[in-house]
């Protein structure tokens, strides 16, 4: 999925993280939080007319990772990303960007951070209607005070990247939705940001264009290796692009995990509901269905047929697993056999409802 | 009890019922007690005299020690008449340069020729929208000359040329101020309502008393009359810039000033233009009255 190979999961380095982040709207959020010792129960919100848009969010994002925040509308995902990019000031909690606490940074330093290290793409594009494509894309450079010639040159590079070369002089309203979002993407990349925030970037587009833009996005990321916070309400989109997904509900993060983890071990029925529609064969890897074998077992194993790699999706080896008589062997990247696949487990994973619910059902 | 009625199931009926009851009850009472039907004359508070006396005092007696209030307003009027004099001089009267050391015997600079004005109008039309508009603009100015209205038309034109920019700048300033500050907005709203509803002559007369009979009073009246729409439009325009455009500006690293001039103002230009259009129309209307 996505660009997992670039995500340095093992390294200690963390690009962006938040700790116990709260964003509360209402008459007096600060006082409200203090009164409840920074951890108000959900009943308290209704009683005092406060709304908890983000409740106690904590997570880490590693360099080069695509971190997707998924939730339905009103779940607080947009507010959360606006806290991370400091468009909103969080009520309590901390945000660390390259080790620096963003919740304490002053306005001036924040402007510098935004100018050089952040880029953001918006659901409805957020283009400035009075500026043409080139001027929109060069806008972040203009704000920095870079001279006209230089910013045009840099903007043209990004325009090339998103393939808008023949639209340079057009105004936003003369472009299609997909083209407008390309402008939005180009503008957010023009300063070569460290973190790239995308707030439902493809939700306003037609399904076909959306799929095309997702491919385009993944292509760009393969070239640029940005650290990405990607917001969506579409679970299929999430699993398509994500290295890691955080699922939000009513302001709280319900579960954080890789797409595969969410599907094979959903934390609750809410998460399970989303994962139902997923083409499981495409997402679940061989590793999740195999049984590890010890060296003793290995020597007694009948080695027949071709072994499969542990990191391919199970869809790719379904025919072999189901038709071959002895269990199929699984190898790691170096070709060492370290597991095998039982047919029953394979089928149960692929077809979630295939497990017999109770014996009696079959007797009758 | 009224509150309780409002909260009942039939609360939608409560208000009309109360209204009808009030009307009927006082109609019946009015037959017995005449003061219920007609407001008694002796109850009227003599505000009229108080106000008249105050104006009288303001104009004839109010003084700041070195100068009186009237002197202050009249000198302001004299100061403000300069741009108007300049406009009149350019378009209608020309300038008399008095005799002095520098100029020698003194001479007269003539006003701009009508041919030049017609030509400039056509040129402006061409610049804005090509030959068609050029023909319309030039033709209309020519019409004024042909029908013998040149001089009075230029008089009106020069007042407009002065009054519109003043009203616009003033309006933009107030509109922006009311956008930044909630307090200003709250104070300004009823004031604007007043400016738009009070009949022109109600404030034109006191202005005439304070600033004297002349173009300046006319201009002041015009500004009061024409400013409200542009204040409202500016305010509305700045307020209705879509949230995402503002956020895009902020994340691009705009400072507050950059956000205002590079995002908010251009995005609200259409609204402001509607306001400007209103100013020009109202100014035309008012200049003729004044």
């Amino acid at each position: 999925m996505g660009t997992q190979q670039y995500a340095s999961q093992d390294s200690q380095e963390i690009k962006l993280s938040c700790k116990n982040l709260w964003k509360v709207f209402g008459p007096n959020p600060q006082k409200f939080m203090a009164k409840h010792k920074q951890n108000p129960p959900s009943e308290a919100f209704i009683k005092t007319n406060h709304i908890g848009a983000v409740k106690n969010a904590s997570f880490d994002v590693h360099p080069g990772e695509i971190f997707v925040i998924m939730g339905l509308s009103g779940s607080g995902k947009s507010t959360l990303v606006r806290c991370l990019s400091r468009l909103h000031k969080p009520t309590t909690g901390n945000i660390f960007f390259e080790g620096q606490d963003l919740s304490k940074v002053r306005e001036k330093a924040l402007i510098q951070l935004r100018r050089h290290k952040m880029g953001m793409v918006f659901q409805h594009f957020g283009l400035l209607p009075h500026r043409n494509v080139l001027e929109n894309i060069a806008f972040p450079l203009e704000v920095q005070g870079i001279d006209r010639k230089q910013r045009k040159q840099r903007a043209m590079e990004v325009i090339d990247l998103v393939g808008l070369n023949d639209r340079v002089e057009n105004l936003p309203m003369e472009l299609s939705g997909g083209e407008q979002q390309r402008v939005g993407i180009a503008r957010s990349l023009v300063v070569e940001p460290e973190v790239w925030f995308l707030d439902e970037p493809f939700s306003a587009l037609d399904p076909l264009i959306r799929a095309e833009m997702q491919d385009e996005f993944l292509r760009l990321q393969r070239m640029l290796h940005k650290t990405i916070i990607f917001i969506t309400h579409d679970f299929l989109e999430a699993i398509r692009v994500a290295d890691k997904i955080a699922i939000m509900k009513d302001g709280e993060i319900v579960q954080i995990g890789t797409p595969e983890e969410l599907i094979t071990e959903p934390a609750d029925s809410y998460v399970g509901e989303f994962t139902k529609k997923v083409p499981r064969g495409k997402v679940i890897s061989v590793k999740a269905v195999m049984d590890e074998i010890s060296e003793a077992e290995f020597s007694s194993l009948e080695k027949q047929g071709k072994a499969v790699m542990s990191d391919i999706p199970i869809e790719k080896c379904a025919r072999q697993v189901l038709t071959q008589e002895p269990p199929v062997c699984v190898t790691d990247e170096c070709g060492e056999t370290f597991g095998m696949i039982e047919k029953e487990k394979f089928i149960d994973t692929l077809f979630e409802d295939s497990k017999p619910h109770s014996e009696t059902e079959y007797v009758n | 009890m009224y509150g309780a009625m409002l909260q009942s199931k039939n609360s939608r009926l409560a208000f009309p019922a109360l209204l009808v009851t009030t009307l009927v009850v006082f109609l019946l009472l009015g037959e017995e007690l005449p003061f219920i039907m007609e407001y008694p004359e002796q109850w009227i508070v003599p505000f009229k005299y108080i106000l008249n006396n105050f104006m009288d005092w303001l104009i004839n007696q109010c003084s700041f020690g070195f100068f009186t209030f009237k002197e202050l307003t009249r000198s302001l009027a004299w100061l403000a008449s300069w741009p108007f004099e300049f406009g009149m001089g350019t378009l209608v009267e020309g300038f008399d340069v008095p005799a002095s050391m520098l100029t020698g015997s003194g001479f007269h600079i003539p006003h701009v020729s009508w041919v030049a004005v017609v030509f400039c109008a056509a040129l402006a039309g061409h610049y804005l929208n090509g030959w068609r508009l050029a023909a319309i603009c030039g033709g209309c100015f020519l019409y004024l000359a042909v029908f013998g209205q040149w001089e009075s038309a230029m008089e009106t034109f020069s007042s407009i040329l002065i009054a519109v920019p003043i009203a616009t700048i003033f309006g933009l300033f107030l509109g922006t101020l009311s956008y930044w500050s909630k307090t200003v907005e709250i104070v300004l709203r009823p004031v604007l309502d007043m400016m738009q509803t009070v009949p022109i002559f109600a404030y034109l007369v006191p202005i005439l008393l304070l600033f004297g009979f002349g173009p300046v009073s006319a201009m002041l009246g015009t500004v009061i009359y024409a400013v409200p729409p542009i204040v409202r439009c500016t305010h509305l325009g700045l307020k209705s810039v879509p949230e995402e455009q503002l956020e895009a500006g902020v994340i691009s690293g705009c400072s507050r000033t950059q956000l205002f001039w590079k995002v908010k103002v251009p995005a609200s230009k259409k609204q402001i233009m509607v306001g400007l259009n209103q100013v020009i129309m109202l100014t035309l209307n008012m200049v003729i009255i004044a």
Side-chain angles (χ1 to χ4, degrees):
Chain A
M1 285 289 101
T3 53
Q4 214 153 17
Q5 61 268 38
Y6 300 111
S8 41
Q9 307 281 357
D10 304 319
S11 79
Q12 289 305 300
E13 202 187 347
I14 292 167
K15 196 74 178 181
L16 182 71
S17 74
C18 60
K19 292 269 171 308
N20 308 108
L21 190 75
W22 288 77
K23 179 66 186 177
V24 176
F25 294 106
N28 197 339
Q30 292 292 347
K31 206 173 143 194
F32 173 78
M33 289 300 288
K35 191 180 154 201
H36 294 280
K37 302 196 179 63
Q38 317 298 342
N39 199 4
S42 31
E43 314 88 68
F45 282 100
I46 309 161
K47 225 182 279 170
T48 55
N49 246 336
H50 285 83
I51 294 163
V54 176
K55 296 175 187 165
N56 207 7
S58 303
F59 56 80
D60 300 328
V61 185
H62 299 269
E65 194 174 44
I66 303 182
F67 189 90
V68 173
I69 301 170
M70 206 229 85
L72 301 181
S73 58
S75 62
K77 56 192 190 304
S78 282
T79 311
L80 177 54
V81 78
R82 278 164 176 71
C83 285
L84 294 175
S85 62
R86 272 307 311 274
L87 286 171
H88 287 345
K89 192 170 168 48
T91 311
T92 61
N94 309 91
I95 302 156
F96 296 98
F97 174 61
E98 296 178 335
Q100 190 180 13
D101 190 347
L102 286 193
S103 57
K104 297 194 173 66
V105 166
R106 286 173 177 280
E107 180 74 17
K108 264 205 174 144
L110 209 52
I111 287 176
Q112 287 309 316
L113 267 177
R114 289 184 188 128
R115 284 185 180 175
H116 301 288
K117 305 214 158 174
M118 291 180 179
M120 187 158 175
V121 179
F122 297 91
Q123 181 175 5
H124 302 291
F125 324 129
L127 303 179
L128 306 179
H130 52 282
R131 289 165 171 260
N132 67 25
V133 169
L134 179 70
E135 290 164 339
N136 257 293
I137 293 171
F139 182 68
L141 302 174
E142 182 184 326
V143 164
Q144 287 182 28
I146 291 171
D147 70 74
R148 190 179 292 271
K149 206 174 147 195
Q150 231 177 325
R151 64 182 191 239
K152 185 175 176 187
Q153 190 191 353
R154 172 68 193 133
M156 288 309 288
E157 284 171 34
V158 209
I159 287 173
D160 216 28
L161 201 66
V162 298
L164 278 174
N165 302 54
D166 51 345
R167 295 302 220 168
V168 175
E169 298 285 330
N170 287 82
L171 286 175
M173 63 173 202
E174 296 161 352
L175 305 180
S176 71
E179 286 171 324
Q180 289 192 37
Q181 195 57 297
R182 281 168 197 270
V183 179
I185 287 172
R187 181 179 61 187
S188 67
L189 288 175
V190 77
V191 297
E192 301 184 59
E194 300 271 330
V195 261
W196 196 15
F197 300 101
L198 296 105
D199 180 19
E200 302 222 25
F202 312 134
S203 301
L205 305 176
D206 299 332
L208 273 181
I209 308 285
R210 193 182 308 160
E212 185 190 315
M213 292 293 281
Q214 287 166 355
D215 290 337
E216 181 84 11
F217 164 74
L218 290 171
R219 178 183 71 87
L220 284 174
Q221 173 63 354
R222 274 195 292 276
M223 292 163 58
L224 304 168
H225 320 315
K226 302 287 178 201
T227 305
I228 294 173
I229 310 284
F230 188 109
I231 308 289
T232 181
H233 64 253
D234 180 354
F235 191 70
L236 292 178
E237 182 170 83
I239 57 167
R240 187 147 181 236
V241 301
D243 293 319
K244 251 190 206 160
I245 302 176
I247 295 198
M248 278 188 92
K249 184 194 174 192
D250 300 332
E252 281 171 89
I253 295 181
V254 189
Q255 188 176 6
I256 300 178
T258 63
E260 198 175 340
E261 281 165 6
L262 292 182
I263 291 164
T264 52
E265 299 151 36
D268 58 11
S269 57
Y270 184 76
V271 180
E273 204 54 45
F274 287 116
T275 59
K276 263 187 187 162
K277 291 163 261 169
V278 172
R280 302 169 70 86
K282 280 190 176 30
V283 182
I284 300 172
S285 64
V286 166
K287 205 170 184 175
V289 297
M290 68 167 208
D291 291 310
E292 261 185 65
I293 47 171
S294 63
E295 222 144 306
E297 284 172 302
F298 177 71
S299 47
S300 64
L301 204 66
E302 290 178 65
K303 283 180 222 95
Q304 274 191 15
K306 239 171 67 187
V308 295
M309 295 268 285
S310 67
D311 59 352
I312 63 168
I314 52 178
E315 187 185 59
K316 290 259 164 75
C317 62
R319 188 190 175 92
Q320 188 189 352
V321 171
L322 295 176
T323 53
Q324 184 178 312
E325 191 49 50
V328 170
C329 293
V330 181
T331 60
D332 60 15
E333 305 93 82
C334 312
E336 294 285 323
T337 304
F338 74 117
M340 55 177 229
I341 305 173
E342 293 284 355
K343 285 195 183 60
E344 283 80 11
K345 195 173 175 190
F346 188 87
I347 293 170
D348 288 347
T349 312
L350 195 52
F351 306 104
E352 199 192 16
D353 286 337
S354 71
K355 281 180 211 163
H357 293 285
S358 65
E359 292 298 327
T360 50
E361 259 179 56
Y362 288 87
V363 172
N364 294 331
Chain B
M1 198 197 87
Y2 179 62
M5 276 170 77
L6 270 182
Q7 279 178 10
S8 78
K9 268 186 189 169
N10 303 320
S11 62
R12 251 187 298 171
L13 285 177
F15 185 68
L18 197 68
L19 202 70
V20 173
T21 319
T22 313
L23 287 175
V24 173
V25 165
F26 281 95
L27 206 65
L28 294 174
L29 276 178
E31 288 194 359
E32 305 296 319
L33 308 163
F35 73 87
I36 282 182
M37 297 310 282
E38 308 291 343
Y39 191 85
E41 237 173 82
Q42 59 271 31
W43 290 7
I44 296 172
V45 182
F47 270 125
K48 201 163 83 178
Y49 302 104
I50 298 172
L51 213 61
N52 274 349
N53 283 338
F54 173 73
M55 278 305 286
D56 201 41
W57 170 81
L58 198 64
I59 290 162
N60 294 323
Q61 281 161 49
C62 178
S63 167
F64 299 99
F66 295 112
F67 52 89
T68 65
F69 185 73
K70 196 176 170 184
E71 276 167 352
L72 174 75
T73 55
R74 288 293 159 100
S75 55
L76 279 177
W78 177 79
L79 207 68
S81 70
W82 274 99
F84 183 78
E85 294 289 331
F86 178 75
M88 283 294 281
T90 314
L91 286 171
V92 187
E93 289 161 350
F95 300 96
D96 282 316
V97 180
S100 71
M101 298 259 284
L102 211 67
T103 55
S105 58
F107 54 90
H108 181 81
I109 304 172
H111 65 83
V112 178
S113 122
W114 67 271
V115 185
V117 175
V118 171
F119 186 73
C120 286
L123 211 63
H126 182 257
Y127 172 74
L128 291 171
N129 207 359
W131 288 111
R132 258 167 62 106
L133 194 64
I136 294 172
C137 287
C140 286
F141 271 81
L142 199 63
Y143 161 88
L144 291 171
V146 171
F147 282 80
Q149 298 298 321
W150 187 259
E151 201 153 304
S152 55
M154 284 307 108
E155 229 167 275
T156 311
F157 189 49
S158 64
S159 336
I160 300 249
L161 278 184
I162 306 298
V164 168
I166 290 178
T168 306
I169 291 168
F170 194 57
L172 287 176
F173 178 73
L174 283 181
T176 313
L177 214 61
S178 76
Y179 169 76
W180 287 117
S181 150
K182 192 82 194 160
T183 324
V184 174
E185 186 195 341
I186 290 168
V187 173
L188 209 56
R189 204 182 302 153
V191 174
L192 292 180
D193 286 339
M194 283 270 284
M195 284 161 81
Q196 285 183 302
T197 46
V198 170
I200 319 152
F201 292 103
Y203 52 78
L204 208 55
V205 174
I207 287 175
L208 281 178
L209 286 175
L210 288 174
F211 291 93
F213 201 80
V216 176
S217 299
M219 208 123 73
L220 201 66
T222 310
V223 168
I224 291 177
Y225 187 63
V227 146
I230 196 163
V231 177
R232 285 181 204 276
C233 284
T234 309
H235 180 87
L236 186 71
L238 290 173
K239 261 230 155 117
S240 53
V241 180
E243 189 63 28
E244 279 196 348
Q245 284 176 30
L246 297 179
E247 288 179 337
V250 172
I251 205 78
S252 299
C254 283
S255 64
R256 272 161 198 266
T257 1
Q258 283 175 326
L259 194 67
F260 183 72
W261 290 111
K262 287 179 187 283
V263 179
K264 290 179 186 174
V265 170
S268 46
K269 210 154 123 194
K270 253 188 199 160
Q271 293 275 2
I272 294 175
M273 280 310 184
V274 173
L276 185 64
N277 173 280
Q278 292 291 310
V279 168
I280 294 173
M281 300 224 314
L282 291 177
T283 308
L284 269 173
N285 198 348
M286 187 64 186
V287 156
I288 288 159
I289 297 172

